[in-house]
Amino acid sequence: MEKNIKIFDTTLRDGEQSPGCSMNIGEKIEMARQLEKLGVDIIEAGFPASSKGDFNSVKQIAESVTDVRVAGLARALKSDIDTAWAAIKNAKYPRIHTFIATSDIHMKYKLKKTPEQVYDQAVEMIRYAKSKCEDVEFSAEDATRTRPEFLHKIVEGAIEAGAATINIPDTVGYTTPEEFYEIIKGIKENVKNIDTVDISVHCHNDLGLAAANSLAAVKAGATQVECTMNGIGERAGNAALEEVVMAMRVRKDIYPGENRINTEEIYRTSQLLTRITGVEVQPNKAIVGENAFAHESGIHQHGMLENKKTYEIMTPESVGLSKNKMVLGKHSGKHAFESHLTECGHDLTKGEIEEIFIKFKELADKKKDVSPEDIEALIDGGHRVKNEMYKLNRYTVNTGNTITPIVSINLDKEGENIENVAIGDGPVDAAFKAIDKIIDIDFTLSKYVIKAVTEGSDAQGEVFIRLGKDEKYYNGRSTSTDIVEASIMAYMGAINNYFNEAGGR
Ligand code: KIV
Ligand code: ZN
């Protein structure tokens, strides 16, 4: 009989914990909706007790999705469980995910508790969580370095106390496929009533084995895999969803379980995450890297021309890489444009389509061919900032190799015209300094990424900016064939996002 493998996505919790991957509430909701479309079974939306911001975003995500379970993480503490429950209780399908460390080293040095105390706390808190929420998951943190007898004991206690999912994390990315297979097998053979619950696995990638370890666990009987898009997560990251899912699909002969993932949404989900966080995947990244389906050598190309299966174990279309290479230009009408958007899976309002169509026409006037990548960049750069307290009216740049770059900026602040001028190390630096003079708030520019959307010197430049203030981050992005303009617009986007979160001033 085929079994069901649940995909538990923790991009918005463990993934978001990784350096450079923080997202604001609007971005998290957008990501959660895309994960729902992708077909994950559970979204771990955050760790509500960790901060007010996390609480709010978990709550809003719980209220924004309907076709997916929403989990909130909680230490095995009453206060954490109360906060997690308050954040997720309005979800259609809520889950409390509670955890405590079980390895000797964590219990002794981090928790400063005996195994007996940890056991009692885990059981008591699972019962407490269960009194609030029907669906409770328990994680034995650092399970792969936990003494097997204690792991079996605490897992058995957790099941008795009402946990319906038992998660076995490889918290420090230490295990190997063969060892992890044996750990899961050992749990299956030694824990009473283990067949009544889902065994979940949660692997970190410190040795580059997270996906392989997850798959070995599935082979041993795990029925839930915790993973993140693009493999983002603490340190070297978590098991990459796209790798685990595609390995199970391509090697169905080895992993006969079924999952709900709509694999054609994988590429779009990966791209959305990249655009939101500004964290690119390496070009040779499995499944979603730029070169994952590129065949460069003559021998490979020859083989591909004779029969694609010579070098292709899965099609690019199966992960959602567009078959549609239609190039639109300035003579393309709204109808062709709209049908292109629909074919690419965009679900935009009439107003959004109208707005992007105007931008498309402007771009087509500057650039002969507008590619699908250009249009994706327009959509992404165009509709992310909700309210713009500051809008760009105009700017002028005077620069050269023998003069100091100088930029004058004119902004509209709710009907008022404000202008300032600054010099800088280059036109972008001068532009940012002129804007800083107008806004008069101290931000730290913690990230500035610029890349060409397509080839050619008329390509659009895509700019991602992250501004930091008071330990919080505000992202902005924009595209334009003029990189100074794209930089200014991205900078303004981050500033407007700051005002949207701070509620204006
Ligand atoms: O890596 C880990 O152990 C975790 C737990 C909280 C599940 O992220
Ligand atoms: Zn983790």
Side-chain angles (χ1 to χ4, degrees):
M1 196 177 74
E2 291 211 320
K3 54 191 171 176
N4 203 42
I5 306 293
K6 297 187 175 110
I7 300 296
F8 176 114
D9 182 277
T10 183
T11 305
L12 296 170
R13 199 277 297 169
D14 219 333
E16 212 246 348
Q17 259 166 247
S18 59
C21 288
S22 58
M23 306 172 214
N24 66 33
I25 293 191
E27 291 166 339
K28 284 186 188 173
I29 291 172
E30 190 173 3
M31 194 65 210
R33 291 209 170 112
Q34 180 57 33
L35 289 168
E36 185 180 27
K37 245 187 181 173
L38 176 65
V40 305
D41 297 275
I42 302 110
I43 290 175
E44 184 163 56
F47 184 177
S50 68
S51 71
K52 201 146 182 43
D54 234 50
F55 176 88
N56 287 337
S57 48
V58 175
K59 187 166 186 317
Q60 288 195 36
I61 290 168
E63 288 162 6
S64 305
V65 291
T66 49
D67 193 24
V68 59
R69 199 165 278 282
V70 178
L73 185 68
R75 286 167 297 182
L77 297 173
K78 266 191 174 164
S79 55
D80 270 32
I81 292 168
D82 287 340
T83 311
W85 178 239
I88 58 163
K89 66 176 185 219
N90 293 337
K92 189 158 175 206
Y93 308 107
R95 169 179 292 185
I96 294 177
H97 175 195
T98 187
F99 72 100
I100 193 162
T102 53
S103 63
D104 285 343
I105 186 165
H106 276 232
M107 290 191 290
K108 182 169 176 192
Y109 293 102
K110 188 180 81 171
L111 300 177
K112 301 193 184 351
K113 286 186 192 286
T114 63
E116 291 67 36
Q117 287 170 321
V118 167
Y119 177 90
D120 290 345
Q121 188 176 331
V123 165
E124 191 189 337
M125 287 305 114
I126 292 164
R127 285 210 182 100
Y128 183 67
K130 187 82 181 169
S131 73
K132 313 232 154 214
C133 181
E134 186 45 40
D135 184 359
V136 174
E137 170 169 338
F138 170 69
S139 281
E141 192 191 5
D142 205 18
T144 53
R145 295 192 300 168
T146 297
R147 280 179 293 107
E149 316 75 65
F150 185 58
L151 185 60
H152 299 161
K153 180 179 162 180
I154 202 163
V155 166
E156 201 165 297
I159 296 171
E160 248 175 62
T165 305
I166 298 294
N167 186 34
I168 307 299
D170 182 27
T171 303
V172 290
Y174 177 70
T175 200
T176 65
E178 295 76 11
E179 183 185 71
F180 205 36
Y181 179 90
E182 293 300 327
I183 290 174
I184 302 301
K185 194 163 155 257
I187 292 171
K188 280 193 77 86
E189 287 170 357
N190 291 290
V191 174
K192 230 196 306 162
N193 292 327
I194 192 72
D195 291 336
T196 63
V197 299
D198 273 312
I199 300 182
S200 170
V201 290
H202 174 113
C203 296
H204 280 270
N205 205 29
D206 299 67
L207 293 173
L209 294 172
N213 289 338
S214 306
L215 292 166
V218 167
K219 191 79 188 142
T223 48
Q224 175 175 292
V225 178
E226 303 198 356
C227 42
T228 60
M229 206 60 222
N230 295 349
I232 65 168
E234 281 278 4
R235 305 181 309 279
N238 290 57
L241 180 149
E242 63 276 14
E243 293 173 15
V244 173
V245 166
M246 289 314 287
M248 288 198 291
R249 176 163 165 167
V250 171
R251 298 309 308 269
K252 225 172 174 318
D253 52 329
I254 298 178
Y255 309 105
E258 288 290 340
N259 61 65
R260 290 174 65 228
I261 297 294
N262 172 9
T263 62
E264 291 180 5
E265 288 292 327
I266 284 180
Y267 190 67
R268 182 188 311 286
T269 314
S270 162
Q271 290 281 299
L272 177 66
L273 182 64
T274 299
R275 291 212 181 100
I276 286 177
T277 59
V279 176
E280 298 273 339
V281 297
Q282 83 240 30
N284 60 328
K285 166 83 182 64
I287 321 293
V288 293
E290 203 179 317
N291 297 343
F293 292 94
H295 300 273
E296 192 73 26
S297 93
I299 294 175
H300 288 204
Q301 286 173 349
H302 176 71
M304 286 288 287
L305 288 172
E306 293 296 320
N307 181 338
K308 284 197 169 171
K309 288 195 173 147
T310 50
Y311 285 102
E312 199 171 78
I313 58 166
M314 60 197 148
T315 64
E317 289 80 21
S318 67
V319 300
L321 264 158
S322 175
K323 257 190 283 197
N324 183 351
K325 282 284 165 206
M326 177 166 65
V327 172
L328 298 163
K330 70 174 171 189
H331 299 299
S332 307
K334 183 116 149 260
H335 191 69
F337 185 74
E338 265 195 69
S339 72
H340 170 87
L341 294 181
T342 313
E343 249 176 68
C344 293
H346 289 294
D347 186 14
L348 300 170
T349 63
K350 281 262 168 254
E352 283 169 336
I353 294 174
E354 197 60 52
E355 209 177 292
I356 295 157
F357 186 65
I358 292 169
K359 290 196 171 124
F360 157 72
K361 282 290 187 186
E362 283 167 8
L363 180 64
D365 272 338
K366 295 184 198 156
K367 200 171 181 277
K368 195 168 137 271
D369 296 327
V370 179
S371 68
E373 290 81 6
D374 282 320
I375 293 171
E376 291 299 314
L378 283 184
I379 294 168
D380 198 67
H383 75 282
R384 213 174 286 279
V385 183
K386 260 195 267 128
N387 301 305
E388 293 179 311
M389 174 175 276
Y390 288 93
K391 290 197 180 83
L392 176 71
N393 285 328
R394 60 184 173 274
Y395 69 93
T396 55
V397 179
N398 195 6
T399 190
N401 62 342
T402 55
I403 58 166
T404 304
I406 180 161
V407 173
S408 111
I409 296 266
N410 186 298
L411 302 183
D412 173 289
K413 186 191 175 195
E414 294 162 335
E416 184 192 351
N417 250 310
I418 318 175
E419 186 152 326
N420 221 315
V421 64
I423 57 170
D425 283 339
V428 171
D429 183 46
F432 291 177
K433 284 185 169 139
I435 296 171
D436 287 346
K437 282 187 181 174
I438 295 173
I439 308 289
D440 195 25
I441 290 184
D442 246 354
F443 291 107
T444 325
L445 179 62
S446 64
K447 198 164 192 176
Y448 173 74
V449 184
I450 179 159
K451 69 168 195 188
V453 173
T454 54
E455 288 160 11
S457 58
D458 65 348
Q460 290 193 90
E462 185 174 63
V463 174
F464 175 88
I465 276 180
R466 171 165 291 185
L467 296 179
K469 173 139 186 66
D470 304 331
E471 291 178 18
K472 288 185 93 184
Y473 292 98
Y474 307 91
N475 298 338
R477 60 189 67 72
S478 186
T479 49
S480 168
T481 49
D482 176 339
I483 57 169
V484 177
E485 182 179 17
S487 302
I488 292 173
M489 295 306 291
Y491 198 72
M492 302 276 302
I495 288 170
N496 282 319
N497 275 329
Y498 163 79
F499 285 115
N500 283 334
E501 283 211 15
R505 62 166 185 181

